[in-house]
Amino acid sequence: LDYPGDLTLAVGAADEFYYPSQFGGVNRVALDGTLIRIGGETGQPGYIEKPGDLACAPDGSLWVHDLKTEHVFHYSTTGVFLDSFPVTGWMLGLAVTANRVYVLTSAPQVMVYNWVGQQLDAWGRGTSLMFDRPDRLAAAPDGTFYVLESFVGRIRHLDSAGNILGTLTPVGGQGNLVYPKDIAVDGWGRLYVLDSAYRDRIVRFVDGRFDATFDASFFHSFTTASPFAITITGDSLFNMLSNGIT
């Protein structure tokens, strides 16, 4: 794998995974190790100069945010460019459902679009729901969402209309979160939090309660690589490490 650009990670329906390339576009790696680059041809439709966050929709298609143009790009499961549209505000996170695109911005808000780019709603600013320096956004299979606010060590749980269902602020005990930096949700709705404390670990929560921890660091060539991003599908948990190893 080449060294990744922005350290974000997504996984598709066939367990292929995607990560931003430092050379532009997004790398797609199949289970057999085959690598192709998507959106990496300069001057061609769908070119992404500086990829940011990315997410796979339930149908397996890929959505990518371009930090350079502040557009969201849509690609088929085979990497064919389909469409793009501009987003409002500096984008921090991305989540996609069967017919909606959710964009976490620095406003701070979650902007809601349909798949053709029409803005449908905005959660957060100017309402009782206020985020404190949010970082990441993750969609759960039951139609709810999680927003990570790593600076304050808090995770918001939102319903499908943007209302707060609960707030996770684990302090003390096995589920203690010190420096959370990424989140992911599996097909059963279990929440995974990447915490850079305790020599890097992943903490799993079920229904808002601590369930388990996993070691997330990786020792390679006498160097310990720290994970920067996680994603999950089925029974596979993927890490993106600082040296590009997954």
Side-chain angles (χ1 to χ4, degrees), residues 163-192:
N163 302 304
I164 299 175
L165 294 174
T167 301
L168 189 64
T169 54
V171 177
Q174 290 178 297
N176 183 43
L177 297 178
V178 182
Y179 302 116
K181 55 186 177 183
D182 200 9
I183 54 176
V185 184
D186 68 17
W188 294 274
R190 297 176 297 189
L191 174 67
Y192 296 76

Side-chain angles (χ1 to χ4, degrees), residues 17 83 102 113 209:
F17 64 92
D83 200 2
Y102 300 82
Y113 301 87
R209 297 184 296 272

Side-chain angles (χ1 to χ4, degrees), residues 60-77:
S61 61
L62 175 68
W63 293 80
V64 185
H65 167 233
D66 183 14
L67 292 165
K68 182 73 172 181
T69 63
E70 289 299 327
H71 277 59
V72 174
F73 288 75
H74 188 198
Y75 302 87
S76 72
T77 55

Side-chain angles (χ1 to χ4, degrees), residues 34-139:
T34 302
L35 184 149
I36 63 171
R37 183 162 298 152
I38 297 170
E41 295 186 34
T42 306
Q44 296 300 310
Y47 171 64
I48 302 174
E49 181 175 349
K50 189 170 177 54
D53 202 9
L54 36 127
C56 288
D59 68 353
S61 61
L62 175 68
W63 293 80
V64 185
H65 167 233
D66 183 14
L67 292 165
K68 182 73 172 181
T69 63
E70 289 299 327
H71 277 59
V72 174
F73 288 75
H74 188 198
Y75 302 87
S76 72
T77 55
T78 57
V80 176
F81 172 64
L82 300 175
D83 200 2
S84 68
F85 60 83
V87 296
T88 302
W90 182 258
M91 185 170 161
L92 303 173
L94 179 68
V96 183
T97 64
N99 56 10
R100 297 287 185 269
V101 178
Y102 300 82
V103 177
L104 177 65
T105 75
S106 60
Q109 286 181 307
V110 175
M111 310 299 294
V112 184
Y113 301 87
N114 61 21
W115 276 28
V116 296
Q118 295 173 316
Q119 184 180 325
L120 305 176
D121 204 351
W123 306 340
R125 194 174 185 181
T127 70
S128 59
L129 173 60
M130 294 296 294
F131 303 117
D132 189 350
R133 286 157 285 188
D135 305 280
R136 299 285 191 178
L137 175 67

Side-chain angles (χ1 to χ4, degrees), residues 14 27 32 56 62 79 109 210 218 243:
N27 286 334
D32 64 2
C56 288
L62 175 68
Q109 286 181 307
F210 167 77
F218 183 82
N243 60 3

